[in-house]
Amino acid sequence: MRKLLSILMLLAMMVSNWYHNVMKLLYNWYIVQAGAIDPEARKPLFDDKLMGQLIRFVSSHEVGHTLGLCHNFGSSNTVPVEKLRDKAWVEANGHTSSIMDYARFNYVAQPEDNISYAGIFPRIGIYDEWGIDWGYPWLPQYNTPEAEEPYLNKWIIEKLKEDKRYTFGTETD
Ligand SMILES: [Zn+2]
């Protein structure tokens, strides 16, 4: 699934535009939010490897929109605050379950936590993979979108029982 999502995002990137000053925005976000925990964030000019990762984060979010994903501001709410400093947990799960949140960087982490980029950067998460599964299902047994609705609604309820990180909450809720 992750491979398919990556391919879809790459294809969508090819038809997207890029605002020239996003790199300046990323620099400001990262130096403010990660300056305490990442010496690379304290440089007057970020190296290409770091800026590449920052661009990857923003472009993944934007490509998510092109695939039909809305902002999911509810996703970061599903992560307990104490987990943001739990190195093993946050590196495995991310500090938000969706790249479609505005969670930016894990600024709760402290230098002594030694949390790597995996626990600092937003990334495609459990919610995003589910969102694509839910949005692009193959359901040949139904003849119309309306006929699919009961099945799709039940699927959401089941996923939320399984893990609250499948929560969705956007600005219009
Ligand atoms: Zn957005």
Side-chain angles (χ1 to χ4, degrees), residues 140-154:
Q141 67 273 37
Y142 301 110
N143 295 326
T144 65
E146 293 76 20
E148 295 176 349
E149 277 184 26
Y151 172 82
L152 292 172
N153 289 340
K154 187 168 174 261

Side-chain angles (χ1 to χ4, degrees), residues 1-11 63-64 67 69 99 124-125 128-133 136:
M1 182 60 207
R2 183 174 292 276
K3 200 168 190 176
L4 175 62
L5 189 54
S6 296
I7 291 168
L8 286 171
M9 289 189 156
L10 182 65
L11 289 172
V63 171
L67 295 173
L69 297 179
I99 193 78
I124 297 168
D128 306 306
E129 292 182 6
W130 151 246
I132 295 297
D133 276 349
Y136 294 91

